[in-house]
Amino acid sequence: MPLQGFAYLGSMAPRSRSPARRVEALRARIRRHDEYYYQRNRPVISDAAYDRLVLELRRLEAAHPELVTPDSPTQRVAGRAAGPFASVRHAAPMLSLEATRDNETIEAFVTRVAKAAGGASDLILEPKLDGLSVEVVYRSGRLSSAATRGDGTTGEDVTANVRTIDSVPPTLRGTRGAAPAMVSIRGEMLMSRSAFARMNRALVVRGEEPFANPRNAAAGSLRQLDPRVTASRPLRFVAYEVLAARGVTFTTDAQVLAAFRRWGLAIPEHVERQRAVEAIARYHRRLEGRREQMDYEIDGIVLKTNALDARARLGATGHHPRWAMAWKFEPRSETTMVEDIVFQVGRTGVLTPVALLRPVDVSGVTVSRATLHNLTELSRRDVKVGDRVRIHRAGDVIPEIVERRRGARRKKARIPAKCPACKARLSRQGPFLRCDNRWECPAQLVGALRNLARDEAFSIAGLGEEVARRLVRSGMVRRIPDLFTLTAADIRRLPGFAAKSSAKLANEVARARRVDLPHFLVGLGLPGVGRAMARGLADAFGSLAALRAASVAQLDAVRDVGAVEAATIHAALNDRRIRALIDGFVRAGVRVRAVREAPTRRAGALAGRRIAFTGVLPTLSRAEASRLAEEGGARVTESVSAALDYLVAGSEPGSKADKARRAGVAIIDERRFLRLLRGGSG
Ligand code: IVH
């Protein structure tokens, strides 16, 4: 169970002595979590923590039957399945997996399975995917229903939503009129890390709340009342089990997986068949080592008996099958102390509360800070100086506080009344505190310089956080364009600079004065304008002058720009101070190159885009894919850098995918690539 939200939210409150009061408190808490789960789609405690609350309530009610009321959460038929979706009964129970972290349990499992099979038996090894379990049912080859796992017997009917997901084909492929009468398929609904990061950025731009992790994002995206919302979310379904079937029989799991592939369903990557404990241990180590490089989250491996007759003999307990086992990875979380809570001023003036932690090693990385996001989160999580917190690190995502235990002497964070960097007035915008000194606040200037130096912007090597800080502190940069007036001699006056290093940075700055429009727009730091949108704007308007003159309607018509973004960009471009800023750049010698000819759709759907490939694509050879991309007007490159627009990844993507993820490049699969070629939005 991944850590999600905040497991101790309220649950550390002292237990009241009277059972009646405790029962009431538990009911209130369960209802509150139901609301987080159903109405807001953002559970703040793990399923296990929720189950513990329900269990405690059940026990109390069993001991005190007089306290049972008809509206108690325990009186609902199927626990959490009673949400806004209709309930559906699964074709067969969706059991959970027995999970372990130690070798001995795995050895015992392998021995037990071998005995049932009358000799060593093949095990299918798969990654344990960290999404949510979903059942999809096909009748006569047509998708007929889909449901979340729910309580294992009954789930939520999410058929309409699942119909919008590309990786769930509407009909089973390759059955040539001989599709099975019914097949119920279990699999995992996932969101890739790169898609998750992109979606969260988009949510933030629209002023919506981002999701805590890919798993919550997948769950929240699937459990939408409006299927159009689900359709817009990058979900992916990976099939791994047949729950029930009529009109088709299998004798091994390997056959099942082969059938899934034939039918056009994705199956887990890295599937292996092994029987020796050592080989299983090697597989576990290998996947644990690769975990961070994968574009989706996994939290262990799953071992399953390959022979289905052996499965039948082994059977199941009430909760899990005896023929399967999950071998989990070591958790990527550790506990430590909150030593202080400070407010950090970002590029746009927003103050982010940050917990300063006693440094702790979390799976090989020293973590000493964790974001508390904003004021609302700070008070919701109720983290105070002196508390013990559990820190979770998932991939290259910023460390998150996932649990907190109150310290004996805890101190509330001091909410600043003035900007900690420039002492200017602060204003409150919803959950955010913002420094009003937008143009002179040194912290904002440092942030703006860092943004300017990024590869996607002016790309100035050597202008890191520390150098930016020195430039601002020395007074050499009071307004962002000042950077472009600096000479080597100026830079040399900064602490830490010698003749060579100052000449180098001055050269970089001089080179950066010539910049093309998309890079300029990213560097300018307009709200919500990232790489893709900057390119869209540049392609549409061609020059800075034309863009500055654009109307809201013209902006709205641009690819990747929505109505809200169009209005924001228009307001920014017409803001007196931003106009002055742009003029300042020009006065400081910055020359913004116009885009020569705006590529049109006819010139190829991928005109002007840079694209690279990695891994084995499901249907296209590398040569075919490259040819198609080039015909579509794209430039195909071998290497991955921030300048890339898309990395098309197949199975076994390797280090390129990792690099692309770090560079913030969109990683897409073959299907999306083909859609882009046809002129779709990907
Ligand atoms: S097999 C019970 N295979 O892990 C046997 N499950 O409780 C059927 N999971 O809810 C499950 N990856 O959603 C299987 N490759 C995989 C899996 C997998 C993830 C999930 C499943 C289940 C949870 C464990």
Side-chain angles (χ1 to χ4, degrees), residues 109-174:
F109 170 76
V110 173
T111 315
R112 182 152 44 92
V113 163
K115 221 163 130 192
S121 120
D122 281 348
L123 292 166
I124 294 291
L125 307 182
E126 290 170 2
K128 186 170 181 304
L129 307 165
D130 198 2
L132 72 154
S133 208
V134 167
E135 175 197 28
V136 296
V137 180
Y138 287 87
R139 292 184 196 280
S140 306
R142 284 174 193 285
L143 177 61
S144 75
S145 70
T148 63
R149 178 165 179 269
D151 65 358
T153 310
T154 314
E156 295 163 313
D157 184 348
V158 287
T159 312
N161 294 350
V162 166
R163 283 193 196 283
T164 69
I165 297 169
D166 272 356
S167 45
V168 182
T171 53
L172 295 179
R173 255 201 260 149

Side-chain angles (χ1 to χ4, degrees), residues 316-628:
T317 71
H319 303 288
H320 43 253
R322 291 202 189 84
W323 45 261
M325 178 79 110
W327 188 359
K328 304 253 279 183
F329 297 144
E330 283 311 311
R332 288 166 306 169
S333 67
E334 291 295 337
T335 60
T336 185
M337 285 284 277
V338 177
E339 297 190 320
D340 202 357
I341 296 175
V342 298
F343 283 77
Q344 192 175 302
V345 187
R347 172 171 69 83
T348 56
V350 170
L351 270 65
T352 306
V354 176
L356 301 186
L357 309 167
R358 182 169 299 163
V360 62
D361 185 294
V362 187
S363 55
V365 172
T366 304
V367 174
S368 55
R369 331 160 52 89
T371 173
L372 290 161
H373 305 285
N374 56 51
L375 292 179
T376 311
E377 279 300 289
L378 180 64
S379 68
R380 183 174 76 80
R381 295 177 177 224
D382 186 28
V383 172
K384 292 184 179 162
V385 179
D387 285 348
R388 276 204 83 74
V389 288
R390 198 127 79 88
I391 305 297
H392 182 67
R393 199 170 66 84
D396 22 19
V397 181
I398 303 165
E400 272 277 333
I401 294 182
V402 286
E403 283 179 7
R404 79 99 180 79
R405 216 171 293 248
R406 291 191 174 124
R409 274 192 305 275
R410 43 201 316 253
K411 244 178 45 211
K412 223 177 141 177
R414 276 226 341 261
I415 311 290
K418 290 178 175 163
C419 172
C422 71
K423 307 283 173 256
R425 218 177 61 109
L426 298 177
S427 58
R428 176 91 190 238
Q429 288 171 6
F432 301 105
L433 268 182
R434 192 190 284 268
C435 163
D436 285 340
N437 187 12
R438 180 75 180 85
W439 305 99
E440 272 123 34
C441 172
Q444 296 186 47
L445 267 176
V446 169
L449 288 177
R450 291 287 298 123
N451 177 61
L452 208 76
R454 283 162 55 200
D455 278 354
E456 302 85 64
F458 285 72
S459 184
I460 303 174
L463 181 52
E465 177 87 28
E466 195 41 49
V467 173
R469 207 169 278 152
R470 283 181 212 155
L471 283 169
V472 172
R473 203 179 298 144
S474 68
M476 282 182 201
V477 174
R478 288 180 204 278
R479 319 252 342 195
I480 309 160
D482 293 348
L483 176 72
F484 293 97
T485 62
L486 295 179
T487 63
D490 293 331
I491 297 172
R492 201 170 167 180
R493 294 209 312 275
L494 286 178
F497 275 90
K500 222 165 144 190
S501 50
S502 44
K504 210 163 149 195
L505 181 54
N507 264 336
E508 279 287 315
V509 169
R511 190 192 44 73
R513 281 199 197 105
R514 303 211 142 271
V515 63
D516 63 22
L517 184 53
H519 289 90
F520 177 78
L521 292 176
V522 174
L524 196 56
L526 297 178
V529 180
R531 223 157 43 99
M533 202 185 287
R535 191 162 300 225
L537 291 168
D539 285 352
F541 296 100
S543 72
L544 182 58
L547 174 63
R548 290 177 85 171
S551 68
V552 177
Q554 282 168 330
L555 288 164
D556 193 8
V558 175
R559 142 174 67 86
D560 290 336
V561 179
V564 179
E565 285 105 339
T568 316
I569 296 168
H570 185 261
L573 287 172
N574 289 288
D575 182 287
R576 183 175 50 80
R577 289 152 308 183
I578 293 181
R579 294 194 88 96
L581 179 66
I582 296 175
D583 295 339
F585 275 117
V586 175
R587 263 201 310 283
V590 172
R591 293 291 167 263
V592 184
R593 273 196 303 268
V595 174
R596 242 158 295 148
E597 41 189 304
T600 61
R601 271 281 147 80
R602 225 176 320 117
L606 288 173
R609 301 301 177 107
R610 275 184 205 218
I611 214 162
F613 296 92
T614 183
V616 182
L617 300 180
T619 69
L620 295 171
S621 73
R622 186 66 71 85
E624 283 166 342
S626 299
R627 189 176 48 75
L628 286 173

Side-chain angles (χ1 to χ4, degrees), residues 648-678:
V648 185
S651 55
E652 305 274 342
S655 67
K656 272 191 199 172
D658 194 25
K659 206 167 159 196
R661 200 159 30 247
R662 276 193 308 251
V665 172
I667 302 178
I668 59 175
D669 60 9
E670 184 190 271
R671 201 183 261 267
R672 280 183 193 272
F673 165 64
L674 291 172
R675 219 162 61 191
L676 279 173
L677 271 178
R678 290 194 304 268

Side-chain angles (χ1 to χ4, degrees), residues 93-99 125-134 149 186-188 238-241 243 268 299-304 311 319-321 323-324 326:
M94 289 177 80
L95 301 175
S96 58
L97 282 168
E98 188 181 351
L125 307 182
E126 290 170 2
K128 186 170 181 304
L129 307 165
D130 198 2
L132 72 154
S133 208
V134 167
R149 178 165 179 269
R186 177 175 181 173
E188 204 79 355
V238 178
Y240 47 66
E241 283 292 322
L243 274 176
D299 59 351
I301 66 167
V302 183
L303 297 71
K304 302 176 204 177
R311 288 191 184 185
H319 303 288
H320 43 253
W323 45 261

Side-chain angles (χ1 to χ4, degrees), residues 272-287:
E272 278 189 21
R273 195 158 47 177
Q274 297 288 358
R275 45 173 66 189
V277 173
E278 305 79 68
I280 298 168
R282 271 199 301 278
Y283 180 84
H284 183 264
R285 272 198 302 277
R286 198 166 60 243
L287 257 63

Side-chain angles (χ1 to χ4, degrees), residues 240-263:
Y240 47 66
E241 283 292 322
V242 167
L243 274 176
R246 280 199 312 275
V248 60
T249 46
F250 301 103
T251 52
T252 64
D253 193 15
Q255 285 176 359
V256 170
L257 294 175
F260 287 164
R261 278 179 103 127
R262 270 201 314 280
W263 290 341

